[in-house]
Amino acid sequence: MKQARSVYDVSIVQEDLQWIENKGWLNKLPYVKETKLWVALNTGSASLDVTELASYQDEKHHFWLYLYYLPKDGRSAQDVLDKMSEGNLKQLAKALMSISNGKPEESQKLLSGSNLEWKELSIDEQTLRHLIMAQAALIRGDRQTAQAELQAAQQLNPNNPAGLSLAFDEAIGDGQWARAIELSRMIDAQTWRPTNVLYETKKAILAVREGDTISLSKSLSAIEGLHQGDALIKYVNGIKAVTEGDLDEGKELLDQAQKEGLEGELGVDAQKSLNQIVERLKADRSLQKVVAEMNEKW
């Protein structure tokens, strides 16, 4: 079970826990109790015992509790963050909050310094640091840094599922559609994964690019029930309209998504798309004006 957990083979860990469940005395072992929390946290299970997780007084478990609250309850996440001791793990937690709020520069600043300065963290935590820095670089459009940080993360822990998600995100950003499809299949094969806002939205964008109406419909259905579902659907449909050449419709939908408070990386991306649309519309109108003037002269 420990070996399976170290390589994020969640399915095997779940099988092992099921076997242990029938051996009453083994359930009392501290490592078994912690592993149940680890599985619940990684699978987004509603069975996660938040009270038990909160009963731990060490920094690692405080960080786990923070990870649990961050996507669903910002105030509780901040409360946990305030209780954490000053140090690298707290810096990592702050960087996660910054990246989720669409502030890549702030996130990068929090995680700056040499790798040696972060060696006190566990391998998983060091891996997460590189992944956050890679995501921050992607948002800023720095593909070279993003690739370097992603490689650093994969060298530390090639089985970390977040690395696979970020590689997918990078492929989408670079327009590597065949690679994105391959990575998407690998991610979907990890059936234990909880529904993820960023992944499902990017997967919908991939479906738009590929003209895959069935996959697009499935992704939109998944997005509908998520946090900011309405704004996310407007964002996807806005990108779809732009892809189909309807800039005015795309602008209107992206504007609506932004007004509904689209958060994090997707909010940043939506604003970039809006800026590009505005520039294209200006160029189109200028061209139309020139053509009209030319016609008048003729």
Side-chain angles (χ1 to χ4, degrees):
M1 184 172 69
K2 188 172 183 179
Q3 171 62 22
R5 178 173 156 180
S6 70
V7 296
Y8 283 85
D9 193 338
V10 176
S11 297
I12 293 297
V13 175
Q14 289 174 320
E15 290 177 11
D16 290 339
L17 285 174
Q18 186 59 47
W19 180 85
I20 288 172
E21 195 68 31
N22 299 322
K23 313 291 181 183
W25 63 275
L26 285 176
N27 281 306
K28 298 178 182 178
L29 293 176
Y31 185 76
V32 172
K33 290 182 177 180
E34 182 191 85
T35 299
K36 288 180 178 179
L37 292 172
W38 180 87
V39 167
L41 188 63
N42 277 279
T43 60
S45 173
S47 65
L48 176 69
D49 190 337
V50 181
T51 303
E52 182 176 353
L53 182 55
S55 70
Y56 287 84
Q57 297 305 309
D58 60 287
E59 287 295 277
K60 180 181 78 173
H61 289 92
H62 284 161
F63 186 62
W64 285 15
L65 187 62
Y66 175 80
L67 292 177
Y68 168 76
Y69 280 129
L70 186 59
K72 55 175 68 69
D73 186 346
R75 179 171 294 181
S76 293
Q78 185 63 53
D79 288 344
V80 176
L81 183 63
D82 292 341
K83 294 174 184 177
M84 292 179 68
S85 302
E86 293 298 332
N88 284 345
L89 195 56
K90 188 168 185 176
Q91 289 294 96
L92 188 63
K94 288 180 179 178
L96 271 171
M97 185 172 284
S98 294
I99 204 75
S100 68
N101 290 332
K103 299 177 180 178
E105 293 84 4
E106 181 178 298
S107 181
Q108 185 182 35
K109 185 177 180 180
L110 286 162
L111 300 179
S112 63
S114 69
N115 292 338
L116 286 174
E117 296 176 47
W118 294 84
K119 287 294 185 181
E120 68 181 54
L121 298 181
S122 70
I123 292 297
D124 285 342
E125 291 158 357
Q126 290 179 53
T127 301
L128 182 57
R129 171 182 171 248
H130 286 295
L131 291 173
I132 295 171
M133 292 180 75
Q135 188 176 6
L138 277 179
I139 296 173
R140 298 192 332 270
D142 185 350
R143 303 294 177 188
Q144 186 175 356
T145 299
Q147 183 61 45
E149 292 293 345
L150 179 57
Q151 288 178 353
Q154 291 172 334
Q155 286 174 0
L156 282 170
N157 191 338
N159 299 292
N160 190 306
L164 197 61
S165 297
L166 191 60
F168 171 78
D169 199 10
E170 181 186 47
I172 292 288
D174 289 342
Q176 299 177 12
W177 307 115
R179 175 167 167 72
I181 291 171
E182 178 188 356
L183 289 166
S184 178
R185 287 171 180 162
M186 293 170 66
I187 292 170
D188 290 341
Q190 295 176 323
T191 54
W192 51 267
R193 280 180 176 238
T195 303
N196 178 277
V197 170
L198 185 59
Y199 171 65
E200 289 296 339
T201 306
K202 295 281 185 174
K203 189 178 174 184
I205 298 300
L206 177 61
V208 168
R209 170 61 180 73
E210 294 297 301
D212 187 343
T213 55
I214 295 176
S215 293
L216 177 59
S217 178
K218 288 180 180 178
S219 290
L220 291 177
S221 294
I223 291 169
E224 188 176 11
L226 300 177
H227 174 58
Q228 289 201 312
D230 289 342
L232 292 168
I233 289 173
K234 287 184 175 68
Y235 165 78
V236 172
N237 286 330
I239 298 298
K240 182 173 181 290
V242 172
T243 302
E244 294 171 348
D246 192 340
L247 298 184
D248 290 314
E249 175 71 8
K251 181 178 181 298
E252 182 178 349
L253 287 166
L254 290 170
D255 265 330
Q256 290 175 8
Q258 287 292 73
K259 287 175 182 177
E260 291 181 21
L262 198 61
E263 298 172 355
E265 178 182 337
L266 296 174
V268 173
D269 185 67
Q271 189 57 54
K272 287 180 180 177
S273 297
L274 276 169
N275 294 340
Q276 291 170 359
I277 291 170
V278 169
E279 290 302 314
R280 285 176 61 183
L281 287 171
K282 284 181 180 178
D284 287 348
R285 286 165 187 150
S286 295
L287 181 59
Q288 289 169 5
K289 184 179 179 181
V290 169
V291 171
E293 290 175 352
M294 291 296 293
N295 287 338
E296 287 177 4
K297 290 179 180 179
W298 281 102

